[in-house]
Amino acid sequence: IVLYTALFSFAANQFVVQIIKIKRKVAKQQELIEEQHNDILDSINYAKRIQHAILPSTDQWEKNLPNSFVLYIPQDVVAVDFYWMSEGSDTVLFAAADCTGHGVPGAMVSVVCNNGLNRSIREFGLTAPGKILDKVRELVVEELSASNEDVKDGMDIALIAKKGNTIEYAGAHNPLWVIRSGADEIEEIKANKQPIGKFDNSSEFATHELQMNSGDLIYIFSDGFADQFGSNDNKKYKSKRFKQFLLGIANESMQDQRESLHKEFTDWKGEMEQLDDICIIGVRF
């Protein structure tokens, strides 16, 4: 009996020792996971700061488009949508862009595409939106094809050049919507049905010129708003409803329009997860 008691006591002590070792190992692993998690968060937050640094400043935007708004709601910490602006002596260029992918990989694509827009203006001196998109496609494909990887990422975009009350528009998938002063319907200028990136049978992007009058409105946007599912009926918001809503708020100030759109999106989404970035730009002439 004494022998059995001693053996049992020894075995129990060994079991307790093993439990303690396992707990210490688990604690170290948890500490390591937490450190790695914090490192990843730090990297993502730093990527967010870089993204915000390349967006137009509020001062730059208000200086060039004082009667306008930007509604920008990223889905994640880092976004794949971005808005862009470049100012010349008598022309301002601005765009709403939607890059492929999500998270950090999509954010990297957005930086490449943003850089392509800047280079097309600064290095190549282009001003016509169609020509700019042609050059951006060339630069993006070149940049993303530098390795042997078959990368087919890119972006959809609506690009505007504004000179006084004359605008030029070009788009890759993303259209331009126009509400003329007093009109009860939206005039849609369609985009080329091709992205900025690798695409079979690609063609030159068309530039459309429009003369705007006092009180006219234009909107460019990514697809995140129309594609959002609602919590009430689990259906997409869709472009038709989006058009109707814009027509309903057309007489509001641009800042009030921004707030109305934000509330509409929040109310529609409800408890549903946000599925994509939101980027909408509105300008009144």
Side-chain angles (χ1 to χ4, degrees), residues 98-110:
D98 180 2
C99 297
T100 54
H102 288 283
V104 174
M108 294 174 67
V109 175
S110 75

Side-chain angles (χ1 to χ4, degrees), residues 35-74:
E35 288 177 359
Q36 291 174 337
H37 177 70
N38 289 336
D39 287 344
I40 292 170
L41 284 180
D42 287 344
S43 296
I44 292 174
N45 285 323
Y46 189 71
K48 178 183 178 180
R49 289 197 294 272
I50 292 173
Q51 275 202 316
H52 277 271
I54 65 177
L55 293 174
S57 69
T58 301
D59 289 343
Q60 180 189 15
W61 195 273
E62 291 180 350
K63 169 191 168 187
N64 290 289
L65 296 173
N67 202 8
S68 69
F69 72 81
V70 178
L71 178 62
Y72 186 59
I73 313 174

Side-chain angles (χ1 to χ4, degrees), residues 5-281:
T5 301
L7 288 173
F8 178 78
S9 177
F10 176 77
N13 286 335
Q14 289 297 108
F15 179 74
V16 171
V17 169
Q18 290 300 317
I19 291 296
I20 293 172
K21 286 182 178 180
I22 291 171
K23 285 185 176 180
R24 288 175 178 172
K25 186 175 181 179
V26 169
K28 287 183 178 180
Q29 289 175 336
Q30 288 177 333
E31 184 179 345
L32 178 61
I33 290 170
E34 186 174 345
E35 288 177 359
Q36 291 174 337
H37 177 70
N38 289 336
D39 287 344
I40 292 170
L41 284 180
D42 287 344
S43 296
I44 292 174
N45 285 323
Y46 189 71
K48 178 183 178 180
R49 289 197 294 272
I50 292 173
Q51 275 202 316
H52 277 271
I54 65 177
L55 293 174
S57 69
T58 301
D59 289 343
Q60 180 189 15
W61 195 273
E62 291 180 350
K63 169 191 168 187
N64 290 289
L65 296 173
N67 202 8
S68 69
F69 72 81
V70 178
L71 178 62
Y72 186 59
I73 313 174
Q75 175 194 10
D76 297 316
V77 177
V78 288
V80 297
D81 284 12
F82 67 91
Y83 55 100
W84 174 87
M85 176 177 280
S86 178
E87 53 188 300
S89 57
D90 60 356
T91 303
V92 57
L93 291 132
F94 58 98
D98 180 2
C99 297
T100 54
H102 288 283
V104 174
M108 294 174 67
V109 175
S110 75
V111 172
V112 171
C113 293
N114 189 295
N115 184 57
L117 285 166
N118 290 329
R119 288 185 62 194
S120 70
I121 306 299
R122 298 169 186 171
E123 294 182 27
F124 300 95
L126 300 174
T127 56
K131 297 298 183 185
I132 292 171
L133 294 191
D134 289 338
K135 177 56 69 173
V136 174
R137 175 172 58 195
E138 177 187 325
L139 295 172
V140 168
V141 169
E142 179 183 300
E143 189 73 21
L144 296 179
S145 300
S147 69
N148 293 326
E149 298 293 330
D150 184 23
V151 178
K152 295 182 179 179
D153 290 302
M155 71 173 170
D156 297 336
I157 185 171
L159 172 64
I160 302 286
K162 178 181 180 293
K163 183 177 181 180
N165 279 355
T166 300
I167 64 169
E168 292 181 333
Y169 154 79
H173 286 307
N174 292 354
L176 164 66
W177 286 356
V178 180
I179 301 179
R180 298 289 182 179
S181 181
D184 58 1
E185 62 181 10
I186 287 181
E187 175 186 349
E188 180 172 349
I189 313 301
K190 295 186 181 297
N192 285 83
K193 293 187 179 297
Q194 57 185 8
I196 301 296
K198 284 186 177 181
F199 184 74
D200 293 337
N201 302 317
S202 60
S203 59
E204 292 184 352
F205 286 96
T207 295
H208 305 265
E209 182 176 315
L210 291 86
Q211 188 65 39
M212 310 305 295
N213 301 309
S214 178
D216 290 347
L217 292 155
I218 62 172
Y219 300 93
I220 55 177
F221 42 86
S222 62
D223 60 4
F225 197 98
D227 284 350
Q228 177 62 44
F229 280 87
S231 60
N232 289 333
D233 56 10
N234 197 31
K235 293 181 180 179
K236 286 185 178 182
Y237 193 84
K238 294 188 177 181
S239 293
K240 182 179 179 180
R241 189 192 302 264
F242 190 19
K243 286 181 177 179
Q244 291 172 340
F245 189 79
L246 288 176
L247 285 167
I249 63 172
N251 292 326
E252 296 180 6
S253 71
M254 301 313 286
Q255 185 58 37
D256 285 346
Q257 286 191 35
R258 182 189 181 280
E259 297 305 318
S260 294
L261 281 163
H262 192 271
K263 183 177 185 302
E264 176 73 356
F265 176 75
T266 302
D267 291 347
W268 175 262
K269 180 175 71 69
E271 299 300 319
M272 296 287 286
E273 178 185 1
Q274 182 176 336
L275 300 179
D276 204 352
D277 297 334
I278 306 297
C279 183
I280 305 171
I281 297 172

